[in-house]
Amino acid sequence: MSTVNIPRLDLNTYINGSADERKAFSDSIGKAFNETGFVTITNHGLSKELIDKLYTQVKALFALPEDIKDKYEIPDLAGQRGYTGKNKETAKGFKVPDLKEFWQIGQTVTGDVPEEADYPDNIVVDELPEFNTTTLEVYKKLENAGKYLLRAIAVYLGLNENYFDDKVENGNSILRTLHYFPITDPDSLPDDAVRAGAHEDINLITLLIGASADGLELLTRENKWFPVKAFGEDLVVNVGDMLQRLTNNKLKSTTHRVVNPPREEMKNSRFSVPFFLHPKSNMDLTSLPSTIDAEHPKQYTDITAGEYLDERLREIGLKK
């Protein structure tokens, strides 16, 4: 029997709903994250107009000449800010790089807080001022939606609803704008070259703003690939490895990939925008005592979020 459970949930029912509606939301997201690791979310705070504007700017960014994009690639930043060119990131366990290029926007800290010294400045695209303002607006809205999703998850785990709040406030979250570029000569590709090799995300949860084409697939517990589709402007939200470690595998960081399109569509680009919600680097990812028992022994060594991120960036080739 298939255990694919990807419910479509209304975030507004958690933020503004009755006690029963809030509990139902929390139970539903927890059950889905326990079984499949994915949900889709409506009423998340991003309007269709903002999403359309975002994708217009993302397409304009990747349409810039190669020499313009290359000037925004800063090797010392390990891809955490600005541009990362083609054939740079390789999924863990793969030898062939993903068929993509991307741009990353990070946390902007204001005020006199310790994290101010932790994060490099975002790279400003001189040629596209609207790209800078639009992505910053989207970042803040997704960060806010993620805060409520984590509250619902905390309730499901039997924690204080605000357990994650101080851990993700000014956290190391990343907004990534992605271009899976056209494949003009399919016959020249290595057999295992794909748009995004099978992987799990590093962070707590990922919020994905749709995509311009199909291709996202998850690996079910029956070891079969299952296409993930969202309605219109819904967010696709999945568990990352940090949350899996924290919950000792109670919540599932599901393997997923982006497959190449049919041969006749390979000449088309694919764009997507995931938001990787990270905590502060000093968050302790030691598995919660409530998730460990005789049937579920502790699976992971103790590590902080910052140490784990550093380890994974080296594994995928972004950090030396």
Side-chain angles (χ1 to χ4, degrees):
M1 188 180 81
S2 174
T3 55
V4 176
N5 173 26
I6 309 177
R8 187 174 187 233
L9 303 176
D10 182 344
L11 185 56
N12 189 53
T13 63
Y14 186 80
I15 298 173
N16 296 310
S18 66
D20 286 347
E21 287 173 326
R22 287 163 58 81
K23 183 178 187 308
F25 183 98
S26 184
D27 288 347
S28 294
I29 196 170
K31 184 173 187 291
F33 281 171
N34 178 273
E35 294 175 355
T36 302
F38 275 77
V39 298
T40 62
I41 297 291
T42 67
N43 286 324
H44 39 68
L46 280 77
S47 67
K48 182 180 187 306
E49 291 73 24
L50 179 57
I51 293 173
D52 288 346
K53 184 178 177 184
L54 171 68
Y55 272 97
T56 297
Q57 293 302 313
V58 169
K59 290 172 183 177
L61 173 79
F62 291 113
L64 291 172
E66 296 296 325
D67 61 327
I68 298 290
K69 289 185 290 189
D70 287 345
K71 76 177 183 178
Y72 292 117
E73 185 161 12
I74 317 294
D76 291 347
L77 295 180
Q80 296 307 288
R81 299 291 185 275
Y83 179 65
T84 297
K86 299 168 183 174
N87 302 316
K88 295 288 175 68
E89 184 176 77
T90 304
K92 182 180 176 181
F94 283 71
K95 291 185 169 57
V96 178
D98 290 345
L99 304 174
K100 68 189 182 191
E101 57 182 335
F102 57 90
W103 183 287
Q104 297 206 150
I105 298 100
Q107 184 66 263
T108 52
V109 177
T110 54
D112 185 19
V113 293
E115 293 77 32
E116 190 174 14
D118 291 348
Y119 306 131
D121 291 338
N122 280 312
I123 309 296
V124 174
V125 186
D126 296 329
E127 294 80 5
L128 296 169
E130 261 195 288
F131 175 87
N132 308 308
T133 55
T134 302
T135 51
L136 183 60
E137 182 181 358
V138 168
Y139 185 108
K140 292 301 180 186
K141 287 185 180 294
L142 289 175
E143 189 174 41
N144 188 59
K147 176 181 70 176
Y148 285 106
L149 291 169
L150 286 173
R151 287 180 180 177
I153 291 165
V155 171
Y156 173 77
L157 293 170
L159 303 168
N160 181 292
E161 182 186 31
N162 303 110
Y163 175 84
F164 290 100
D165 283 12
D166 64 338
K167 299 170 179 62
V168 298
E169 179 74 23
N170 289 325
N172 194 20
S173 296
I174 292 287
L175 182 72
R176 172 182 278 195
T177 68
L178 267 164
H179 177 217
Y180 300 100
F181 47 81
I183 301 168
T184 53
D185 184 8
D187 295 328
S188 69
L189 289 180
D191 290 341
D192 51 353
V194 292
R195 286 185 154 174
H199 66 284
E200 300 79 45
D201 292 342
I202 299 170
N203 40 290
L204 289 171
I205 56 175
T206 299
L207 293 75
L208 174 70
I209 310 174
S212 64
D214 291 338
L216 178 63
E217 297 182 344
L218 68 83
L219 190 64
T220 69
R221 292 193 175 181
E222 293 78 33
N223 216 35
K224 294 181 179 175
W225 288 104
F226 182 87
V228 181
K229 297 181 186 293
F231 293 86
E233 286 72 49
D234 287 6
L235 298 180
V236 176
V237 182
N238 64 277
V239 176
D241 282 354
M242 289 185 184
L243 190 57
Q244 178 172 266
R245 290 182 78 101
L246 184 72
T247 63
N248 197 41
N249 292 343
K250 181 177 178 67
L251 302 186
K252 182 178 174 59
S253 178
T254 303
T255 302
H256 54 285
R257 67 184 184 183
V258 178
V259 297
N260 296 338
R263 193 179 181 93
E264 65 273 13
E265 296 176 20
M266 284 186 174
K267 62 183 182 301
N268 300 327
S269 287
R270 181 184 189 270
F271 300 91
S272 71
V273 183
F275 179 76
F276 302 116
L277 199 158
H278 282 262
K280 297 172 186 172
S281 295
N282 63 2
M283 181 182 176
D284 184 1
L285 297 180
T286 299
S287 296
L288 297 164
S290 61
T291 64
I292 302 168
D293 57 30
E295 289 183 23
H296 306 92
K298 186 178 177 183
Q299 298 294 310
Y300 299 103
T301 56
D302 300 347
I303 198 169
T304 66
E307 290 166 342
Y308 185 63
L309 174 62
D310 191 68
E311 178 184 299
R312 288 292 301 276
L313 289 177
R314 294 179 195 281
E315 288 174 344
I316 62 177
L318 290 180
K319 198 167 188 176
K320 304 300 183 191

